[in-house]
Amino acid sequence: ITIGWTGTHSTIKYLDALIPILKKLETEFDFNFLVIADRKPDFDLKSLQFLLWNKQSEIDDLLKMDVGVMPLEDDKWAKGKCGFKALQYMALGIPAIVSPVGVNTKIVDHGSNGWICATETDWEDALRSILSKELQLSDFYIAARTKIEQHYSVKSNTPNFLHLFANSD
């Protein structure tokens, strides 16, 4: 199983809270922790795999993930984030594990297309259930993609967009 994260060096700090959890899980499970970024992190993880972010291979690189993580601190800057990582993962059928910050709680439906984790225990429990294969991840893949298609796609928002022009007279 590959747990993944994508972002820039400016947001990689949000992974710091996950490192102790991942180190603990490494003693029990065999998995990869894929980081796609503009710089290689210096995490001391045996599971760490790094890919330099590349516009041409971004989608193929993201598709190497079985689940995507989006940990955030509950601060002003993070509250302003648009949930792009979760949307990006889920659009590709990758369930997301997110912190309950900003719009993340509207994008992810806990236990259906991903997980909303507020505490270290929540994060560990979600990752453990994935790594121990207690869950049927294929159901999460379908639910993640379906949520994006139904609520965030161009097709699902076309009526709203056209409505703006119909009422602009």
Side-chain angles (χ1 to χ4, degrees), residues 29-48:
F29 301 100
D30 184 29
F31 64 93
N32 298 313
F33 183 60
L34 175 63
V35 172
I36 303 168
D38 56 341
R39 285 189 205 159
K40 184 175 183 180
D42 61 352
F43 301 137
D44 183 27
L45 292 171
K46 68 179 182 181
S47 60
L48 180 64

Side-chain angles (χ1 to χ4, degrees), residues 123-137:
W123 281 92
E124 183 178 338
D125 290 348
L127 290 167
R128 183 178 300 282
S129 66
I130 292 163
L131 294 170
S132 65
K133 300 182 180 165
E134 290 174 15
L135 306 165
Q136 190 71 354
L137 274 181

Side-chain angles (χ1 to χ4, degrees), residues 92-104:
L92 294 171
I94 301 165
I97 308 176
V98 301
S99 297
V101 177
V103 298
N104 284 352

Side-chain angles (χ1 to χ4, degrees), residues 5-16 35-41 71-73 75 77-78 81 85:
W5 178 89
T6 188
T8 65
H9 66 278
S10 64
T11 57
I12 209 161
K13 66 181 180 177
Y14 292 118
L15 290 176
D16 290 345
V35 172
I36 303 168
D38 56 341
R39 285 189 205 159
K40 184 175 183 180
L72 291 171
E73 294 170 9
D75 58 26
W77 190 80
K81 294 183 71 59
K85 251 188 244 333

